[in-house]
Amino acid sequence: MKSLLAFIKKETMEQLRSGRLIILGILFILLGIMNPAVAKLTPWLLEVLADSLAESGMIVTSVTVTAMDSWMQFFKNIPMGLIAFILLQSSIFTKEYQSGTLVLALTKGIQRYKVVISKTVVLAVLWTFGYWVCFGITYGYNAYFWDNSVVQNLLFSVVCWWLFGVWVIALLILFSTIAKSNTDVLVGTGSVVLVSYLLGLLPKLREYLPTLLTDGNFLIYGVEEAAIYVVSLIIALATSLICFVMSIPIFNKKQL
Amino acid sequence: MDMLYITGLHKRFGDKEVLNGLNLTVPEHSIFGFIGKNGAGKTTTMKAVLGLLKTDAGEIVVNGEKVVYGQTSTNRYIGYLPDVPEFYSFMTAPEYLRFCGEVTGMKKSENENRCRELLELVGLGDETHRIKGFSRGMKQRLGIAQALLNHPKLLILDEPTSALDPVGRKEILDILMAVREQTTVLFSTHILSDIERICTDVAFLNNGVVGVQGKLSEIKTKYRSKEYLVETEREADLLILQKTFPNMQQTGRNQLIFHESHYTIFDMLCFVTEKHISIVKIERTEPTLESLFMEVARK
Ligand SMILES: Nc1ncnc2c1ncn2[C@@H]1O[C@H](COP(=O)(O)OP(=O)(O)O)[C@@H](O)[C@H]1O
Ligand SMILES: [Mg+2]
């Protein structure tokens, strides 16, 4: 337990001193502010552009913005947060393989699975924290400017998206224990997400794939029932767990 | 008791047989020099001992416990310094040592004391910078400190002096001398003068097997040179000697060397007495590790 905590502490210190923590912190805060800001500025932007639009024959009627528009922005922008997160963390294992820093820690007697757990915990906490900070900021502004109660399935839809992030991180961990370089990690993780996305275009498969969880917009407008999402939610949860469990024996046998 | 015991170790990389049935025994409280050319397989052997490398055959026993690849339980007896030690460069030296102590599960107060003591021993007591800016020698010294952290029974160092200047080398060798009471030291090198300076035991690794191993003094006796050097006072006497002993070779001014396989020392001495040749000195030439190494390597 002590060695696990020591390793988690080391990971946290690394996130902090390498600047990754700060970059991600700023990014998620900015994203959180951007969602309501863009929604708020849309009518004003249209007004500014009204004259030129009128010249080209378009009539701009006054638009009313609601919290809905801000939440739409949320689901449009949060992928940027996840992509930045994955890019920044893709070398969390491979950097240690390449520099050889794990060798000493392992010869000090820390069990290999604790290395996997530490890194997973730090990534999961970081993602969770960043994601909910972003959500919290958007929620706060929305409540201040408009009214969040017009939104349907709000909590469920954002939990779905959060879990999608967890699923991608689980893939990142798995590929990190298999691959040697962070390019391979990114290619592996990206491919699985892409395949899930492409298969999701087939109506028959859509409901069974984790990428469905990113379609939060259908939920908040009430276009789709929350119940449709439950299957892919369970599948994402299960595959995340499988990825994590598989990564331990793979890492145990890895030549360092 | 033997601290480390290796029998029949085999390891191949692709079709390259690096270790070919290596046997090695490291007695307790020795300073054991593991000698071999570059690429002989020293690092490979050490990694196998630490369970970091999968071997093809053979058995490794550390302090009576068998080493299993991928498992780290025997590593609790071992302190290890790899050939190129890599630390978390975002930490300072004390932070790194403390981290190592926590990883091994040391008590907090004990950890603090041990870290301070070791940093003092390796001369990094006042160092407050991050490891990122450390020189090769500083890293090597920090490496020894982390290896010694949990009072290992066996200290394994992979070429600890190879990349250092003479001052840095001396510092490392002095540290090793200082810890020999507490532990058994196994270190690899291709620098023979380091071995002569501190080792009690040596093993020569060549072609994937240990050619010769044992106490340094015994090996030196066993391989004691059978060559003699004679120096005469007058130059003319050289010719007289060479006429009777044609296989003597001149090596310097008034100096001849000869090998025991050609003439015995007693014949030579009789002759010298008979002819009243004035001698400046007669000596049996000391075997250097160099010549020993060459001899082992030739086999
Ligand atoms: N991971 C590896 N893959 C292929 N060959 C290797 C690997 N590691 C070492 N070797 C080869 O094994 C031989 C022994 O290497 P090593 O044990 O590092 O030698 P030493 O430490 O004595 O200089 C070398 O010829 C090296 O090229
Ligand atoms: Mg080596």
Side-chain angles (χ1 to χ4, degrees):
Chain A
M1 196 61 198
K2 213 172 201 167
S3 54
L4 182 65
L5 286 179
F7 213 85
I8 290 177
K9 204 169 94 185
K10 169 248 150 191
E11 289 294 332
T12 313
M13 188 191 266
E14 186 165 14
Q15 293 286 342
L16 190 69
R17 294 199 180 164
S18 66
R20 272 178 283 176
L21 193 68
I22 294 168
I23 294 174
L24 286 175
I26 292 174
L27 182 75
F28 280 112
I29 289 172
L30 279 182
L31 283 177
I33 296 172
M34 208 170 88
N35 302 325
V38 169
K40 190 80 188 156
L41 291 179
T42 308
W44 176 78
L45 262 178
L46 287 177
E47 213 168 285
V48 170
L49 297 174
D51 287 347
S52 58
L53 285 176
E55 271 166 29
S56 59
M58 284 174 77
I59 312 294
V60 180
T61 52
S62 69
V63 276
T64 44
V65 178
T66 66
M68 217 53 148
D69 299 274
S70 177
W71 286 118
M72 246 175 73
Q73 286 295 322
F74 179 87
F75 289 114
K76 215 171 97 190
N77 293 329
I78 197 70
M80 270 197 283
L82 181 62
I83 289 170
F85 185 93
I86 295 297
L87 284 177
L88 280 176
Q89 306 293 0
S90 62
S91 60
I92 190 166
F93 279 83
T94 54
K95 189 165 164 257
E96 298 222 42
Y97 303 153
Q98 276 152 9
S99 64
T101 40
L102 270 180
V103 171
L104 283 181
L106 290 176
T107 55
K108 282 258 132 341
I110 190 171
Q111 289 100 324
R112 290 188 176 211
Y113 73 86
K114 289 184 180 168
V115 174
V116 180
I117 292 180
S118 304
K119 289 180 188 281
T120 308
V121 164
V122 168
L123 288 190
V125 168
L126 220 67
W127 163 246
T128 304
F129 198 73
Y131 181 87
W132 291 106
V133 162
C134 181
F135 168 82
I137 291 172
T138 303
Y139 189 92
Y141 276 108
N142 289 0
Y144 178 75
F145 290 130
W146 309 287
D147 178 11
N148 279 320
S149 65
V150 301
V151 184
Q152 298 180 42
N153 302 315
L154 178 58
L155 196 64
F156 183 70
S157 66
V158 288
V159 166
C160 281
W161 221 103
W162 168 79
L163 192 74
F164 174 73
V166 171
W167 179 70
V168 177
I169 289 169
L171 289 175
L172 177 89
I173 300 280
L174 177 63
F175 282 106
S176 289
T177 57
I178 297 170
K180 281 198 162 72
S181 74
N182 74 321
T183 325
D184 294 352
V185 173
L186 287 173
V187 169
T189 311
S191 308
V192 174
V193 175
L194 187 71
V195 166
S196 170
Y197 173 79
L198 291 177
L199 290 180
L201 297 178
L202 305 172
K204 271 189 193 149
L205 291 178
R206 182 169 169 266
E207 283 170 29
Y208 301 99
L209 292 163
T211 34
L212 175 74
L213 301 177
T214 61
D215 290 342
N217 279 332
F218 294 120
L219 279 171
I220 57 174
Y221 278 102
V223 178
E224 282 178 332
E225 294 282 322
I228 296 176
Y229 286 65
V230 171
V231 176
S232 62
L233 197 77
I234 291 168
I235 287 176
L237 205 61
T239 43
S240 300
L241 263 173
I242 291 171
C243 283
F244 174 69
V245 169
M246 266 168 54
S247 64
I248 288 175
I250 293 174
F251 188 67
N252 275 343
K253 289 291 162 219
K254 192 162 184 85
Q255 183 87 64
L256 292 172
Chain B
M1 192 192 135
D2 296 327
M3 191 40 74
L4 170 65
Y5 179 73
I6 305 178
T7 43
L9 195 63
H10 282 263
K11 175 70 191 177
R12 58 163 68 236
F13 290 111
D15 56 359
K16 191 169 178 215
E17 190 99 47
V18 177
L19 300 179
N20 207 346
L22 174 138
N23 302 315
L24 188 73
T25 308
V26 178
E28 204 168 0
H29 287 296
S30 54
I31 299 189
F32 200 104
F34 191 35
I35 311 168
K37 292 180 295 202
N38 283 326
K42 303 183 293 294
T43 303
T44 307
T45 309
M46 291 182 160
K47 285 195 169 158
V49 172
L50 286 147
L52 292 171
L53 192 86
K54 203 172 178 145
T55 55
D56 301 327
E59 191 182 41
I60 305 173
V61 177
V62 174
N63 195 32
E65 199 173 312
K66 207 169 169 261
V67 175
V68 181
Y69 168 67
Q71 299 305 311
T72 43
S73 71
T74 42
N75 287 354
R76 68 182 185 277
Y77 306 120
I78 306 179
Y80 173 55
L81 174 66
D83 43 358
V84 185
E86 290 295 343
F87 312 100
Y88 294 115
S89 57
F90 55 88
M91 293 185 184
T92 64
E95 278 170 350
Y96 188 81
L97 275 193
R98 232 176 287 134
F99 161 72
C100 291
E102 285 166 10
V103 159
T104 51
M106 267 184 169
K107 281 207 201 68
K108 199 175 160 81
S109 59
E110 187 197 343
N111 193 5
E112 290 287 326
N113 290 336
R114 185 77 180 140
C115 288
R116 204 170 317 112
E117 187 183 309
L118 284 171
L119 286 170
E120 216 51 61
L121 173 75
V122 301
L124 290 171
D126 308 318
E127 197 50 56
T128 52
H129 293 100
R130 293 202 186 158
I131 298 170
K132 210 174 355 200
F134 276 23
S135 71
R136 198 63 212 268
M138 287 161 85
K139 281 190 183 170
Q140 214 67 260
R141 281 182 280 145
L142 175 59
I144 293 185
Q146 66 78 29
L148 284 170
L149 191 67
N150 40 334
H151 304 278
K153 292 190 165 199
L154 176 62
L155 183 62
I156 299 184
L157 311 159
D158 196 353
E159 308 215 13
T161 56
S162 293
L164 304 180
D165 59 17
V167 179
R169 288 228 320 263
K170 185 172 178 329
E171 284 170 352
I172 301 287
L173 295 180
D174 289 347
I175 293 169
L176 295 188
M177 285 296 268
V179 299
R180 64 174 298 191
E181 240 87 282
Q182 309 155 27
T183 179
T184 305
V185 180
L186 167 66
F187 79 101
S188 71
T189 186
H190 59 258
I191 305 173
L192 297 161
S193 62
D194 289 354
I195 300 268
E196 301 225 47
R197 229 141 104 183
I198 64 167
C199 286
T200 58
D201 295 66
V202 289
F204 293 90
L205 176 62
N206 193 49
N207 292 333
V209 291
V210 168
V212 176
Q213 85 156 327
K215 295 251 163 282
L216 183 57
S217 51
E218 281 169 18
I219 287 183
K220 277 193 158 180
T221 319
K222 191 167 158 207
Y223 285 80
R224 178 167 290 153
S225 147
K226 306 223 166 63
E227 251 178 5
Y228 295 90
L229 182 141
V230 190
E231 189 176 331
T232 59
E233 201 165 73
R234 283 171 298 139
E235 199 165 352
D237 289 335
L238 285 190
L239 293 172
I240 298 174
L241 274 168
Q242 271 184 311
K243 207 182 257 167
T244 319
F245 304 105
N247 280 330
M248 284 194 178
Q249 281 169 354
Q250 187 163 1
T251 52
R253 220 182 92 82
N254 295 0
Q255 283 185 346
L256 289 170
I257 58 166
F258 68 96
H259 201 265
E260 223 176 41
S261 58
H262 292 119
Y263 318 107
T264 65
I265 182 78
F266 309 110
D267 287 346
M268 203 269 316
L269 286 173
C270 285
F271 183 77
V272 166
T273 331
E274 215 169 87
K275 301 278 174 190
H276 290 271
I277 296 173
S278 321
I279 298 290
V280 177
K281 71 172 174 196
I282 298 180
E283 71 178 28
R284 194 171 186 170
T285 54
E286 268 285 295
T288 57
L289 273 172
E290 223 98 30
S291 61
L292 256 181
F293 187 36
M294 294 314 235
E295 198 162 314
V296 172
R298 227 178 292 126
K299 273 199 281 187

